[in-house]
Amino acid sequence: MSLIAKSQKELADTVGIGERTYSSWLREGCPGQAGNYVVRDVVEWAKINKWCQSSDPLLAGGDSDNLERYRGFKADLAELDVQERREELVNIEKVKPVFITCLGFIKAAAEKLDRQFGNDAFNIIIEAWEQAQEHCRSELGEGETKTNENERT
């Protein structure tokens, strides 16, 4: 059962606005008919059109699946903006060369082990190097993590 105001004044008092304000809202499309002003409908209209207006018109009112998805994306973007301002984000294009260089250090160490201790030590390190390289590729994307074949020989 909905609360129904019998006059514009009663509705305005119930909602907490002036009677002239409600008159203006009626001209703008707010629901209501003489003697039958449904408070819930007026409040819903006011939330969408007056009280909760957003600078982004797609965020105002409604609760469709697409609108909720859009709101979710907007929230994600806002979170990314906060992380960027806090300098918590990492630029993958800057990180990839660092990882590639680190992998090169591991390979150079493997080659030293091969010279000092033989092929078994070399194979252990090369296996770890290949696993690290594959992990970098899978986590950071294919990009430039592939090494030159000359580096492997």
Side-chain angles (χ1 to χ4, degrees), residues 66-80:
N66 287 335
L67 184 55
E68 288 305 313
R69 202 167 21 260
Y70 177 77
R71 287 175 177 152
F73 288 135
K74 290 288 277 189
D76 291 346
L77 286 173
E79 179 62 28
L80 286 172

Side-chain angles (χ1 to χ4, degrees), residues 93-108:
E93 295 308 313
K94 289 182 179 178
V95 171
K96 282 181 183 180
V98 173
F99 279 112
I100 292 169
T101 300
C102 290
L103 290 171
F105 296 149
I106 294 170
K107 184 172 180 275

